[in-house]
Amino acid sequence: MEPLGRDEAKKKMRNEKHQNNRKRRETGNLLVTIAVCFIALASLTGCIYLLLENQSMKQEFIPVMGRIEDDVFGNQEESVKEEDENILHVDDEEEEIDLLTQALLENKDFARQNTADEVLDELKFRLTEGEEISAILRAMFPNDMVVIADGKYYFIPILDELKKHSYNTDNFVLDDNGILAYHDDDGNIISQKGIDVSRYQETIDWGKVANDGVDFAIIRVGFRGSSEGTLVVDTYYEGNMKGALDNGVDVGVYFFTQALNEAEAIEEAEFVLEHIAEYDVKYPVVIDVEAIDTRNPRTQFMTQEEWTNITIAFCERIKEAGYTPMIYGNLRSFFLMLDMTRLEDYEKWFAFFRPQMYFPYEHSIWQYTAKGTVAGIKGEVDLNVGFKVFE
């Protein structure tokens, strides 16, 4: 082969250089494409995981007294979550532990007795043992109520001046059917079996309910819409009241408030009194006080003082009419929304979906699950332990 001329050699070298550059670009583009695909796949996997996790949480963080739904007036009915289960979720377990540690050390009394390393070691040990975060915190802070809401941990001191309940936690027994009862020291059941119902349970066979040992039912009389504020009667209210009473089940009623002020709270009380006048209501007339999980509810900017004022106004009007007023709520309701120091005079009904009680103050009813089953009711129903017989 004849040697190439200088020009031809340069041309060949340029061509080979261009080809090599093109190959490098193509290889680089391929690597970038693969990397992007891996990132996209990881992101998609993460999204799927979060969706599944979110769906799982939605199943666990079930509404306490209602579900999101438009009523005929275009308002939204109550939609609330058991805030105790609204745990913080972050991308990394170490980050979550760091957040927990920071939250713990913000408590001055706790920080004086524990170093950051000690807290970290304790948290890691308990988490690896499978303990829930809320249980860990409650064990660490026996003198505080630990409330998880709005992406934060709240540590609310248990007040000595407020009346405490005297229930022995060892005397609560959960049977094989998921029914919780309170026993005396000799093993006798001394509590009442209760349910609370609304139109979500649809038509109920109250004869079967009575035969299943239900002593009392708290029936929703109605609610105030969260947007327009219209007062609405529960569509199954009358049927439930008549059915329960005709079958020997004692009744109370509850009303889901969205009152903005004392005047509206009294309006709600009058609405309830009008609708219970013809019935023998032995159990309390309840104001349901909860944070609502809808967009821009009319009560979103209310203060603790305002929530407490409307609660007292409702209860006082009910008491004036000769009925027993009661306040229903969960941890967020009683420890963030309401001022407990002003509510000592009223009966309390506490919602906490765990087999162990977590409420130090006096209360007459404990709603312990929203996934109960009772004969005569299709699907799930809220179950309650009653500690007091109302006459």
Side-chain angles (χ1 to χ4, degrees), residues 290-323:
E290 299 172 80
I292 195 165
D293 186 32
T294 60
R295 186 171 59 183
N296 299 322
R298 68 201 307 265
T299 54
Q300 64 180 318
F301 299 117
M302 284 180 61
T303 65
Q304 185 183 66
E305 181 179 12
E306 289 170 334
W307 276 112
T308 306
N309 288 343
I310 68 114
T311 300
I312 291 173
F314 181 96
C315 289
E316 285 299 306
R317 181 64 191 96
I318 295 301
K319 185 164 64 174
E320 287 174 6
Y323 296 93

Side-chain angles (χ1 to χ4, degrees), residues 203-327:
T203 301
I204 295 173
D205 186 331
W206 284 98
K208 291 182 179 179
V209 169
N211 290 335
D212 201 13
V214 172
D215 300 300
F216 69 92
I218 311 295
I219 295 168
R220 186 174 75 164
V221 60
F223 61 93
R224 185 189 287 275
S226 65
S227 55
E228 300 300 324
T230 307
L231 300 180
V232 183
V233 179
D234 188 289
T235 51
Y236 282 76
Y237 168 68
E238 290 188 5
N240 283 333
M241 291 293 282
K242 292 175 181 176
L245 291 171
D246 288 347
N247 287 278
V249 178
D250 288 335
V251 298
V253 299
Y254 77 91
F255 184 90
F256 185 87
T257 183
Q258 281 285 282
L260 294 177
N261 50 53
E262 294 171 64
E264 286 193 350
I266 293 171
E267 180 188 25
E268 292 177 352
E270 296 289 357
F271 176 89
V272 173
L273 291 171
E274 176 186 350
H275 286 89
I276 66 175
E278 63 180 286
Y279 300 108
D280 182 17
V281 178
K282 293 181 179 179
Y283 268 68
V285 175
V286 184
I287 180 171
D288 182 354
V289 179
E290 299 172 80
I292 195 165
D293 186 32
T294 60
R295 186 171 59 183
N296 299 322
R298 68 201 307 265
T299 54
Q300 64 180 318
F301 299 117
M302 284 180 61
T303 65
Q304 185 183 66
E305 181 179 12
E306 289 170 334
W307 276 112
T308 306
N309 288 343
I310 68 114
T311 300
I312 291 173
F314 181 96
C315 289
E316 285 299 306
R317 181 64 191 96
I318 295 301
K319 185 164 64 174
E320 287 174 6
Y323 296 93
T324 302
M326 175 178 272
I327 305 164

Side-chain angles (χ1 to χ4, degrees), residues 58-331:
K58 284 182 179 179
Q59 294 297 319
E60 182 180 358
F61 310 155
I62 44 184
V64 180
M65 293 287 250
R67 295 161 177 78
I68 299 175
E69 181 177 352
D70 290 334
D71 62 66
V72 293
F73 295 97
N75 300 308
Q76 287 195 303
E77 294 193 46
E78 69 267 29
S79 170
V80 292
K81 293 181 179 179
E82 198 359 39
E83 292 294 335
D84 169 67
E85 310 311 325
N86 187 22
I87 62 176
L88 299 180
H89 285 269
V90 294
D91 294 332
D92 182 81
E93 184 177 298
E94 289 297 324
E95 183 184 353
E96 185 167 23
I97 293 175
D98 289 343
L99 287 172
L100 283 169
T101 303
Q102 181 182 354
L104 291 171
L105 293 176
E106 284 177 359
N107 183 293
K108 293 181 181 179
D109 292 334
F110 190 84
R112 277 197 297 268
Q113 302 174 38
N114 302 271
T115 67
D117 288 340
E118 289 172 335
V119 175
L120 272 171
D121 290 342
E122 181 71 10
L123 282 173
K124 288 179 178 178
F125 173 76
R126 287 175 175 259
L127 287 171
T128 56
E129 290 294 305
E131 290 190 50
E132 293 183 348
I133 292 171
S134 57
I136 295 172
L137 292 176
R138 285 162 188 158
M140 288 182 166
F141 293 89
N143 297 320
D144 291 340
M145 295 299 294
V146 179
V147 183
I148 306 171
D150 304 321
K152 293 177 60 178
Y153 293 96
Y154 294 88
F155 300 88
I156 314 297
I158 297 173
L159 301 178
D160 292 335
E161 61 267 29
L162 298 186
K163 292 178 286 188
K164 311 298 188 297
H165 71 73
S166 59
Y167 309 132
N168 184 345
T169 55
D170 293 333
N171 289 4
F172 288 99
V173 178
L174 188 69
D175 69 18
D176 294 337
N177 296 317
I179 305 300
L180 191 68
Y182 187 67
H183 296 237
D184 63 18
D185 292 336
D186 295 324
N188 303 305
I189 295 177
I190 55 174
S191 60
Q192 291 74 47
K193 179 181 179 180
I195 60 174
D196 56 89
V197 298
S198 67
R199 71 185 187 87
Y200 298 111
Q201 280 69 47
E202 300 181 345
T203 301
I204 295 173
D205 186 331
W206 284 98
K208 291 182 179 179
V209 169
N211 290 335
D212 201 13
V214 172
D215 300 300
F216 69 92
I218 311 295
I219 295 168
R220 186 174 75 164
V221 60
F223 61 93
R224 185 189 287 275
S226 65
S227 55
E228 300 300 324
T230 307
L231 300 180
V232 183
V233 179
D234 188 289
T235 51
Y236 282 76
Y237 168 68
E238 290 188 5
N240 283 333
M241 291 293 282
K242 292 175 181 176
L245 291 171
D246 288 347
N247 287 278
V249 178
D250 288 335
V251 298
V253 299
Y254 77 91
F255 184 90
F256 185 87
T257 183
Q258 281 285 282
L260 294 177
N261 50 53
E262 294 171 64
E264 286 193 350
I266 293 171
E267 180 188 25
E268 292 177 352
E270 296 289 357
F271 176 89
V272 173
L273 291 171
E274 176 186 350
H275 286 89
I276 66 175
E278 63 180 286
Y279 300 108
D280 182 17
V281 178
K282 293 181 179 179
Y283 268 68
V285 175
V286 184
I287 180 171
D288 182 354
V289 179
E290 299 172 80
I292 195 165
D293 186 32
T294 60
R295 186 171 59 183
N296 299 322
R298 68 201 307 265
T299 54
Q300 64 180 318
F301 299 117
M302 284 180 61
T303 65
Q304 185 183 66
E305 181 179 12
E306 289 170 334
W307 276 112
T308 306
N309 288 343
I310 68 114
T311 300
I312 291 173
F314 181 96
C315 289
E316 285 299 306
R317 181 64 191 96
I318 295 301
K319 185 164 64 174
E320 287 174 6
Y323 296 93
T324 302
M326 175 178 272
I327 305 164
Y328 170 94
N330 52 29
L331 284 171

Side-chain angles (χ1 to χ4, degrees), residues 6-17:
R6 183 184 300 269
D7 293 339
E8 291 179 348
K10 289 183 178 179
K11 183 177 181 181
K12 182 178 180 181
M13 289 176 64
R14 283 197 301 270
N15 290 337
E16 289 177 350
K17 184 177 181 180

